[in-house]
Amino acid sequence: MENEVIEFDIELGGGGRELDDDGVDIEHPVDDDDMIDSPSLNGIGGGFGSGSGEICLPEGDILDLEPYEGMEFESEEAAKAFYNSYARRVGFSTRVSSSRRSRRDGSIIQRQFVCAKEGFRNLNEKRTKDREIKRPRTITRVGCKAAMSVKMHDSGKWVVSGFVREHNHELVPPDQVHCLRSHRQISGPAKTLIDTLQAAGLGPRRIMSALIKEYGGISKVGFTEVDCRNYMRNNRQKSLEGDIQLLLDYLRQMQSENPNFFYAVQSDEDQSTGNVFWADSRARLNYTYFGDTVTFDTTYRSNRYRLPFAPFTGVNHHGQPVLFGCAFLINETEASFAWLFNKWLMAMSGRPPASITTDNDPVIGSAIAQVFPEARHRFCKWHIFKQCQEKLCHMFLKYPNFEADFHKCVNLTESIDEFESCWLTLIDRYDLRGHDWIQTIYSARSQWVPVYLRDTFFAEMSVTQRSDSMNSYFDGYINASTSLSQFFKLYEKALESRNEKEVKADYDTMNTSPSLKTPSPMERQASELYTRKLFTRFQEELVNTLTFMASKTEDDDEIIAYQVAKYGEDHRAYYVRFNVLDMKATCSCQMFEFSGLLCRHVLAVFRVTNVLTLPPHYILKRWTRHARSSVTLEEHANSVYTNYLESHTVRYNTLRHEAFKFIDEGAESLESYDVAVTALKEAALKVSLAAKSDSASMMANGRVKENLARGRISMNKLASSCQGSSGQTLSEDDMDWKIRELTDGVEAAKRRCEVYRANLLSVLKDIEDHKLQLSIKVQNVKISMKDGL
């Protein structure tokens, strides 16, 4: 046996050092986890050879032997591997306990390998007693004496100088030995399989299931799911660091082709590459038109993307997702997110959004509070619901109605008080008061429950809609299996596809006319202003006003309050306050504040108050067909008719408001009634005279310049004709007839001028439409040429 030599090549652990009296260093390893990881092994001889080592067994297999004093090894590494192999067979884990070095040359001359349960944890260590331990580890050391010591002889061989067999604890059975730390290794074939499955987009859990099936049991796999997860994370990090240069080269090329292309790279303290952000010229232009609300999409984390890719997105005038920039997140600390948001803000000309939507992450939340202190921060409700399915899966299985009740409580409550009451009922019904996750999301309810967010613009068509911009811009192009080398081509394809969809939506809006469902001038006005999708949504609200009744509940001269509800459903009423003079209305549902479109409740009030068209302050340009244009000819073309209707409506509503007050007071008594009737007759006479003089005042204001000169000539003729040859004036009837004749001529001329003006504006509108159509055709040609190349 003395001639038998085992050769291994593995890494050694190190530790702290002290000197003994003979001038030999004694090393005690720093051991945070009570045991030292064994080196990466390929599974040779039961899983204890290294990737490059080999086993030399010239006189037979000694792997089943028990250590004994005098047993020789070629190297210290071989001794350690042998003892670890022995420990695997017996059922315990090993670690390096201490070492001794020669003070003459510093080489190690003695090692002691012990059972992982040797000794006791020092709870008074300086490194732990002065700081709070958030997640204390379980006590694993029980003072076991089992160990093997080896010394290096002058011949260079390592000889066993001591061996203790007995343990003071139970040993692990063979089917559990793979859970012991020193025996958990991922073999070469297993690594290959993990790499293949990871590239296909599988997560650690599904990969472990495949490995267990491949090897015939978890004990034969040789490692745990935690080891698999750590290996995949390290593998992903190494791969990303190796490919990051490809990304930087791509960004430099894009900037050289377009000076408006913006990118920034964060450098860590160790000079390695950190987070990367970029925004092309179109993304920056998109933000100038649609940057009122932004979504920062970190879905890649929940979907286990190989690429830590996070786009900034928004919503365009067709309700489609639009890109504002992209980032690769190598580092996910609060400082790194703050750096990213600052660079994005710089690229967007320093104009922060009014609102921003992200995943529920405290680190991201802290960074947003630093960089966008005025922005309303919302958590993506869809992600909250997804977490609910994961955290409360037992509730979904046990109570089939729980999901519907949870959805109703969050989405269908109309006020904060109603939500609070419904929430208490929900958690009491399903006994969730003590559930940690439920308490956590309830504490953050103002950032994800719709009733708390309706006063802020988020560009969504309804308060119950999930944000389409979240996790959808790159759907179908970038997924869990996308590598960085594939990313650029798929990224550009996604941009082209999104641009083409917007061009198609522009074309449909400009070249097709929607079918109108009512004779309302407001519907026609909206059909000519909004994009097709937004008009359809507005039309839905307008048509639904027919099912609502608006009843006046309060009138304080300037502001009138209405209760709006469906017939027989007063318990589900909405409350609208309408300022007649300013033509402004607010509704308790707050749909306009949230989505930028008027709700059916305000439109119902407009119907009963004779508001015929949308007031200008309720038409957001970002929802119109010319949202991207700096020219607003179409709005100007409609201004003649719109201004007439609006001015008439304002006058009508104001007069009616005052008349009702007059009637109420005049009907109080017979005396007041007589006074009111007399006053009405006098007022009617004055109004009639004012109407007759209206055309004269219009000419005095210079509105009809062409007929002004004619009018003056006619008036001179009238003055001269009013006197006969004898110097006598004409009769009063003749004077009235002449005035009426001239007035009719002025009115006819005015109508002709209005027609000319309308025709001119129509021509200008056609020119603008033609210009937009040419732009669409040019864009289509560019896309076709690019596809051809």
Side-chain angles (χ1 to χ4, degrees):
M1 284 296 199
E2 296 179 358
N3 295 325
E4 292 177 330
V5 178
I6 304 177
E7 294 185 358
F8 298 96
D9 181 18
I10 60 176
E11 275 185 35
L12 295 177
R17 301 175 60 185
E18 66 181 52
L19 297 176
D20 67 0
D21 296 333
D22 298 326
V24 178
D25 288 348
I26 302 176
E27 297 187 350
H28 298 282
V30 178
D31 183 15
D32 287 337
D33 297 303
D34 295 334
M35 59 187 71
I36 297 176
D37 286 339
S38 65
S40 177
L41 306 174
N42 282 344
I44 302 175
F48 59 88
S50 74
S52 59
E54 58 181 358
I55 305 174
C56 299
L57 302 174
E59 294 186 7
D61 189 352
I62 65 168
L63 299 181
D64 294 331
L65 291 178
E66 184 178 80
Y68 58 89
E69 292 189 16
M71 190 175 190
E72 292 186 355
F73 298 92
E74 186 66 27
S75 65
E76 176 225 336
E77 294 88 345
K80 180 180 178 180
F82 173 79
Y83 189 63
N84 198 54
S85 174
Y86 163 74
R88 183 182 180 90
R89 286 187 286 109
V90 175
F92 66 97
S93 186
T94 65
R95 60 183 173 84
V96 178
S97 174
S98 62
S99 304
R100 303 184 70 180
R101 291 179 181 270
S102 170
R103 192 162 60 175
R104 291 187 298 272
D105 58 11
S107 61
I108 296 176
I109 60 173
Q110 185 174 343
R111 281 279 198 199
Q112 184 180 35
F113 309 111
V114 298
C115 173
K117 293 180 178 290
E118 180 267 347
F120 297 94
R121 180 180 297 175
N122 185 359
L123 299 178
N124 294 319
E125 289 186 61
K126 183 178 180 181
R127 62 187 176 130
T128 60
K129 70 178 182 178
D130 294 334
R131 63 185 176 90
E132 180 183 358
I133 305 299
K134 294 183 178 180
R135 294 184 0 179
R137 292 178 284 112
T138 56
I139 301 296
T140 58
R141 297 192 181 188
V142 295
C144 182
K145 300 295 184 181
M148 183 183 82
S149 300
V150 290
K151 284 185 177 181
M152 187 176 72
H153 284 190
D154 294 339
S155 63
K157 299 289 177 42
W158 288 75
V159 180
V160 175
S161 58
F163 172 63
V164 178
R165 178 187 301 104
E166 292 76 15
H167 296 261
N168 67 347
H169 56 87
E170 292 186 2
L171 299 176
V172 176
D175 62 342
Q176 298 177 14
V177 73
H178 66 280
C179 297
L180 296 173
R181 184 155 188 172
S182 69
H183 306 307
R184 285 156 46 185
Q185 307 102 25
I186 302 178
S187 65
K191 289 180 180 179
T192 302
L193 184 55
I194 291 174
D195 293 343
T196 302
L197 297 178
Q198 184 181 11
L202 272 67
R205 185 173 302 175
R206 295 177 64 186
I207 290 178
M208 280 301 297
S209 298
L211 288 167
I212 292 170
K213 185 177 181 180
E214 176 72 17
Y215 285 88
I218 183 65
S219 61
K220 296 182 180 180
V221 172
F223 53 89
T224 65
E225 184 179 326
V226 174
D227 301 316
C228 179
R229 190 181 302 275
N230 291 338
Y231 172 78
M232 291 173 64
R233 184 189 64 241
N234 295 335
N235 197 30
R236 185 185 301 117
Q237 187 71 14
K238 291 177 182 177
S239 175
L240 188 60
E241 290 174 356
D243 291 343
I244 201 69
Q245 191 60 41
L246 293 174
L247 173 63
L248 298 180
D249 292 341
Y250 174 81
L251 298 180
R252 293 190 189 100
Q253 178 186 349
M254 295 300 293
Q255 190 177 61
S256 65
E257 295 175 359
N258 188 340
N260 288 326
F261 187 93
F262 180 99
Y263 81 94
V265 181
Q266 181 185 21
S267 297
D268 293 338
E269 295 180 357
D270 59 358
Q271 302 303 314
S272 61
T273 300
N275 292 339
V276 180
F277 167 75
W278 74 94
D280 61 23
S281 58
R282 184 175 180 84
R284 301 175 74 180
L285 189 62
N286 287 339
Y287 187 77
T288 63
Y289 300 123
F290 311 113
D292 38 20
T293 184
V294 175
T295 294
F296 179 58
D297 185 359
T298 54
T299 310
Y300 73 89
R301 293 190 291 186
S302 61
N303 284 359
R304 294 185 291 268
Y305 280 14
R306 293 182 67 190
L307 299 175
F309 175 64
F312 292 86
T313 60
V315 180
N316 69 7
H317 52 319
H318 299 291
Q320 301 168 335
V322 63
L323 192 64
F324 296 148
C326 302
F328 271 105
L329 302 177
I330 312 301
N331 189 334
E332 298 187 22
T333 63
E334 181 180 324
S336 292
F337 278 118
W339 172 91
L340 173 61
F341 294 148
N342 274 308
K343 292 301 179 183
W344 177 80
L345 189 61
M346 183 186 302
M348 302 300 128
S349 302
R351 182 168 66 92
S355 61
I356 184 168
T357 303
T358 72
D359 196 2
N360 180 10
D361 187 309
V363 176
I364 295 178
S366 298
I368 287 176
Q370 293 179 36
V371 184
F372 310 119
E374 302 299 324
R376 186 71 178 273
H377 182 200
R378 178 181 69 164
F379 299 148
C380 178
K381 186 177 61 180
W382 182 80
H383 282 132
I384 297 288
F385 275 50
K386 185 177 181 181
Q387 288 179 354
C388 180
Q389 294 174 347
E390 297 172 355
K391 302 289 185 180
L392 301 175
C393 58
H394 61 290
M395 302 297 296
F396 285 79
L397 295 174
K398 187 175 180 181
Y399 302 104
N401 294 329
F402 173 75
E403 183 176 11
D405 290 343
F406 187 83
H407 169 83
K408 179 180 178 181
C409 178
V410 172
N411 286 329
L412 302 184
T413 48
E414 297 290 345
S415 66
I416 292 176
D417 290 340
E418 185 182 355
F419 167 77
E420 294 289 349
S421 175
C422 187
W423 183 268
L424 290 176
T425 302
L426 180 75
I427 62 175
D428 285 341
R429 178 183 302 166
Y430 294 103
D431 193 22
L432 292 172
R433 279 189 178 270
H435 196 281
D436 292 340
W437 184 80
I438 284 289
Q439 294 301 319
T440 299
I441 62 169
Y442 177 74
S443 299
R445 60 192 180 281
S446 63
Q447 292 184 272
W448 66 277
V449 178
V451 291
Y452 291 93
L453 298 163
R454 291 175 178 172
D455 60 345
T456 305
F457 183 75
F458 284 100
E460 294 183 15
M461 296 302 99
S462 71
V463 294
T464 59
Q465 169 193 337
R466 108 168 167 88
S467 176
D468 286 335
S469 62
M470 194 74 167
N471 187 30
S472 65
Y473 191 91
F474 290 97
D475 276 2
Y477 294 93
I478 298 174
N479 53 45
S481 63
T482 303
S483 65
L484 190 58
S485 58
Q486 301 169 322
F487 172 78
F488 307 117
K489 184 177 293 185
L490 296 175
Y491 166 80
E492 291 183 350
K493 281 188 176 181
L495 294 186
E496 291 177 4
S497 174
R498 288 296 179 184
N499 293 340
E500 185 177 350
K501 288 180 179 179
E502 181 174 333
V503 169
K504 178 66 166 58
D506 282 336
Y507 179 84
D508 291 341
T509 295
M510 301 303 297
N511 293 277
T512 61
S513 298
S515 58
L516 303 183
K517 298 181 179 180
T518 72
S520 167
M522 186 180 293
E523 184 182 16
R524 179 172 297 278
Q525 174 199 20
S527 71
E528 296 173 353
L529 291 176
Y530 288 132
T531 60
R532 188 65 61 246
K533 180 174 181 179
L534 269 294
F535 169 72
T536 301
R537 183 68 185 87
F538 174 81
Q539 187 181 53
E540 179 185 344
E541 293 296 313
L542 185 65
V543 171
N544 271 283
T545 62
L546 301 177
T547 64
F548 281 82
M549 299 176 60
S551 305
K552 186 190 299 184
T553 59
E554 183 182 346
D555 188 345
D556 61 355
D557 294 340
E558 291 187 6
I559 297 178
I560 307 175
Y562 290 88
Q563 176 179 296
V564 183
K566 290 184 177 181
Y567 179 76
E569 297 184 7
D570 290 345
H571 62 288
R572 301 292 293 179
Y574 299 84
Y575 299 93
V576 177
R577 295 179 63 81
F578 180 39
N579 188 316
V580 178
L581 300 180
D582 293 339
M583 298 292 289
K584 291 184 178 179
T586 58
C587 180
S588 58
C589 79
Q590 296 182 304
M591 178 175 165
F592 181 77
E593 291 83 354
F594 189 78
S595 66
L597 284 177
L598 280 177
C599 62
R600 58 195 65 180
H601 319 116
V602 170
L603 294 175
V605 170
F606 282 178
R607 187 187 74 241
V608 300
T609 54
N610 201 37
V611 177
L612 302 179
T613 60
L614 284 172
H617 45 268
Y618 287 120
I619 303 171
L620 299 189
K621 184 181 177 183
R622 62 121 47 238
W623 290 136
T624 66
R625 58 179 62 192
H626 290 293
R628 287 187 177 274
S629 174
S630 58
V631 181
T632 56
L633 285 178
E634 185 171 48
E635 294 176 14
H636 181 63
N638 286 281
S639 64
V640 175
Y641 180 61
T642 301
N643 289 342
Y644 165 74
L645 289 175
E646 290 302 337
S647 59
H648 178 271
T649 301
V650 171
R651 293 196 300 269
Y652 177 89
N653 281 298
T654 304
L655 286 174
R656 189 174 69 165
H657 183 65
E658 294 297 326
F660 279 138
K661 289 167 53 181
F662 180 79
I663 291 170
D664 291 338
E665 295 174 0
E668 288 292 327
S669 65
L670 184 60
E671 182 180 357
S672 62
Y673 170 77
D674 293 336
V675 173
V677 170
T678 302
L680 281 174
K681 289 180 179 178
E682 293 176 357
L685 180 60
K686 292 180 180 180
V687 169
S688 177
L689 292 174
K692 288 182 179 180
S693 63
D694 182 59
S695 59
S697 64
M698 289 176 62
M699 287 190 295
N701 290 330
R703 288 194 175 182
V704 190
K705 295 181 179 179
E706 178 183 354
N707 287 280
L708 183 58
R710 295 180 182 177
R712 287 174 179 170
I713 295 172
S714 298
M715 290 301 291
N716 290 335
K717 290 182 178 179
L718 175 63
S720 61
S721 65
C722 283
Q723 296 183 357
S725 57
S726 59
Q728 295 180 350
T729 60
L730 294 177
S731 66
E732 186 175 343
D733 291 339
D734 291 337
M735 285 283 290
D736 289 342
W737 182 83
K738 286 287 185 182
I739 291 174
R740 285 197 300 272
E741 183 181 23
L742 290 173
T743 301
D744 292 341
V746 169
E747 288 296 328
K750 183 179 71 172
R751 287 193 294 270
R752 286 196 299 271
C753 287
E754 292 296 341
V755 171
Y756 295 152
R757 179 184 297 179
N759 289 338
L760 177 60
L761 293 175
S762 177
V763 170
L764 293 174
K765 175 180 176 295
D766 291 340
I767 292 174
E768 181 65 18
D769 290 347
H770 186 62
K771 177 182 174 183
L772 182 59
Q773 291 175 10
L774 286 177
S775 175
I776 294 172
K777 291 179 179 178
V778 169
Q779 186 68 22
N780 286 331
V781 170
K782 287 183 178 179
I783 293 174
S784 299
M785 292 178 64
K786 198 165 187 180
D787 291 340
L789 294 176

